[in-house]
């Protein structure tokens, strides 16, 4: 009789362990860091258009989906859009905050008058000097990102090291600018411009799945390096 009781107790323990594994595999109690990827543009807003017709909105979405594929096991990856739809800048930030992100990357490709230029550029919110008062009735929206600017700068530095490993670019720039998408973001946030879509050679590379995987891997490595500090 005692043996049976022990057997039943052991079976219950095994069953409980199996249930824990099942719940974990389905995402219950998920405590992984949350990474928010914001594919720039979308819908009627195509962004930069390349010489052969490649649209920035498509490049950024493909890049975000590939980063998600590479990192989805390690982190909880959230996208502000997963299809070709338009979003206001404010809505992108609202979504990132609703996801309770640990970091946010807004993904873009560059453009410009020069068809020969081909750089990677990183942008963070430039800190305003002096005392900044939140506009009445906006719940501190304009100053919501201010406590995270130092961490955003740290994220940009890590991303710069990772993206500098990619071949075929003239370097990785890093600037502090007035960045509307960062306004109100309650997490470290960096805008990344990968390459120059108006450069015909880079346009072809950004439409090549193998090159896009390499760029995504560099972005993913930067995310991992920042979150594992």
């Amino acid at each position: 009789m005692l043996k049976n009781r022990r057997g039943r107790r052991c079976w219950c323990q095994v069953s409980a362990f199996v249930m824990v594994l099942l719940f974990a595999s389905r995402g219950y109690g998920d405590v992984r860091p949350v990474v928010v990827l914001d594919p720039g543009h979308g819908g009627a807003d195509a962004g930069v258009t390349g010489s052969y017709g490649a649209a920035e909105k498509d490049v950024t979405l493909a890049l975000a989906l590939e980063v998600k594929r590479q990192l989805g096991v390690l982190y909880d990856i959230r996208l502000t859009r997963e299809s070709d739809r338009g979003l206001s800048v404010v809505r992108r930030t609202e979504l990132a905050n609703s996801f309770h992100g640990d970091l946010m990357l807004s993904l873009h490709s560059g453009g410009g008058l020069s068809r020969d230029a081909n750089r990677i550029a990183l942008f963070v919110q430039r800190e305003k000097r002096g005392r900044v008062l939140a506009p009445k009735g906006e719940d501190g929206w304009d100053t919501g990102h201010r406590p995270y600017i130092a961490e955003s700068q740290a994220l940009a530095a890590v991303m710069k090291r990772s993206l500098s490993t990619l071949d075929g670019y003239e370097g990785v720039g890093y600037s502090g600018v007035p960045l509307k998408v960062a306004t109100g973001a309650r997490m470290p946030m960096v805008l990344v411009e990968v390459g120059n879509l108006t450069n015909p050679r880079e346009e072809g590379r950004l439409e090549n799945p193998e090159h896009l995987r390499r760029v995504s891997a560099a972005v993913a490595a930067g995310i991992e390096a920042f979150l594992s500090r």
Side-chain angles (χ1 to χ4, degrees), residues 64-79:
L65 290 171
E66 177 60 23
V67 173
K68 180 178 180 178
R69 187 192 69 79
Q70 293 186 20
L71 288 181
V73 175
L74 296 174
Y75 306 112
D76 183 3
I77 309 294
R78 306 292 186 94
L79 272 61

Side-chain angles (χ1 to χ4, degrees), residues 25-81:
S25 67
R26 292 175 184 173
Y28 291 90
D30 197 346
V31 293
R32 295 175 299 168
V34 176
V35 174
V36 180
L37 301 177
D38 172 42
H41 308 282
D45 177 12
V48 174
T49 301
S51 300
Y52 300 105
E56 182 179 4
K57 66 176 183 178
D58 297 327
V59 171
T60 60
L61 181 57
L63 179 62
L65 290 171
E66 177 60 23
V67 173
K68 180 178 180 178
R69 187 192 69 79
Q70 293 186 20
L71 288 181
V73 175
L74 296 174
Y75 306 112
D76 183 3
I77 309 294
R78 306 292 186 94
L79 272 61
T80 56
R81 67 178 180 96

Side-chain angles (χ1 to χ4, degrees), residues 72-222:
V73 175
L74 296 174
Y75 306 112
D76 183 3
I77 309 294
R78 306 292 186 94
L79 272 61
T80 56
R81 67 178 180 96
E82 297 197 31
S83 62
D84 183 15
R85 68 189 186 100
L87 286 172
S88 71
V89 173
V90 171
R91 182 58 181 153
R92 294 170 189 273
T93 311
E94 288 176 342
L95 283 169
N97 287 338
S98 72
F99 296 149
H100 303 289
D102 291 285
L103 67 86
M104 177 183 181
L105 292 181
S106 187
L107 303 174
H108 293 258
S109 59
L113 297 176
S114 174
R115 289 162 53 91
D116 297 324
N118 192 32
R119 289 174 57 80
I120 295 173
L122 304 173
F123 300 97
V124 298
Q125 181 70 290
R126 184 173 65 197
E127 186 168 11
K128 296 178 182 178
R129 295 185 178 182
R131 188 182 179 194
V132 180
L133 298 177
K136 186 176 180 180
E138 293 189 15
D139 194 26
W141 182 258
D142 279 348
T143 57
H145 186 62
R146 197 175 193 189
Y148 302 94
I149 289 179
E151 278 293 275
S152 296
Q153 293 167 343
L155 174 59
V158 173
M159 294 302 302
K160 181 176 180 178
R161 286 195 296 271
S162 184
L163 291 167
S164 294
T165 63
L166 290 169
D167 294 328
Y169 295 100
E170 299 165 5
V172 182
Y174 166 38
S175 304
V177 297
L179 199 58
K180 190 171 181 180
V181 71
T183 303
R186 293 178 172 85
M187 67 202 73
M189 186 271 164
V190 174
L191 187 148
V192 183
E193 281 190 355
V194 179
N196 186 347
L197 199 58
T198 53
N199 178 313
R201 180 174 178 272
E202 182 63 11
E203 179 182 8
R205 294 208 309 166
L206 288 173
E207 288 198 298
N208 182 302
E210 183 55 38
H211 179 68
L212 200 69
R213 278 192 289 272
R214 287 194 291 269
V215 175
S216 300
V219 172

